[in-house]
Amino acid sequence: QVADGVIGHIFWSRRYVQDVVTPLLEGVRDDFERSVTVLCSVQEDPGLARIDAKRTLAHYASTRTYRDILAADGFGSAADDCRDAVRAADHEAMVRAVPDAMLDTYAIAGPPDELHDRLAAVAGHMDRAILVPAYIGTPMARAEQAYTTMFAALRSRGGTT
């Protein structure tokens, strides 16, 4: 074996890791690290955090390559809606295309006091989480504030940045 680990995509849900990834990793050495990227939008205003995260998630979900994995998690029609919204460059439709259940399956989006619990729910089955910011259609000042808020929330409970 030549790899130290694997970094999974934001669409590596708990179900996908359990049903697909874990069987593929059977027999790897004990120190093989499993990481996953997690879309993260942490803001004092949870509504804005969810809107920003939904736009970015819609962008990723619009890619045909991910449709099967999204469908396996129950979000196939949402992936189609995301593709239509992205093609139309309609940011409001992108937000509407992502149901709350889909957002909660693949992302952390909410106030800072929920970050640690959401991180455990979304990525607790992995060795490491790599947080990816919401950036599609998010004004730069709000994105920078979201970073600051996220880092402060991670530090508040001993997380590393």
Side-chain angles (χ1 to χ4, degrees), residues 15-137:
R15 182 217 50 88
Y16 185 79
V17 169
Q18 178 182 334
D19 295 351
V20 177
V21 177
T22 299
L24 292 173
L25 296 178
E26 201 168 295
V28 298
R29 64 181 196 263
D30 291 341
D31 64 343
F32 189 85
E33 187 170 274
R34 298 174 313 144
S35 302
V36 66
T37 52
V38 179
L39 177 62
C40 187
S41 178
V42 176
Q43 301 178 40
E44 293 296 338
D45 181 333
L48 283 178
R50 293 182 73 78
I51 288 169
D52 290 346
K54 282 185 173 192
R55 275 194 310 267
T56 300
L57 196 60
H59 170 77
Y60 281 108
S62 71
T63 306
R64 288 185 192 267
T65 305
Y66 304 127
R67 193 196 187 284
D68 288 345
I69 192 172
L70 291 163
D73 281 335
F75 304 116
S77 64
D80 297 337
D81 294 342
C82 290
R83 189 171 42 255
D84 293 342
V86 169
R87 279 186 187 150
D90 184 339
H91 284 188
E92 291 179 14
M94 289 167 70
V95 172
R96 289 191 306 272
V98 176
D100 288 339
M102 181 174 163
L103 179 67
D104 293 337
T105 296
Y106 302 115
I108 297 169
D113 62 337
E114 294 178 5
L115 174 60
H116 289 273
D117 289 340
R118 290 290 305 136
L119 186 55
V122 173
H125 57 295
M126 303 297 277
D127 299 318
R128 181 178 307 270
I130 301 164
L131 304 181
V132 177
Y135 61 92
I136 301 294

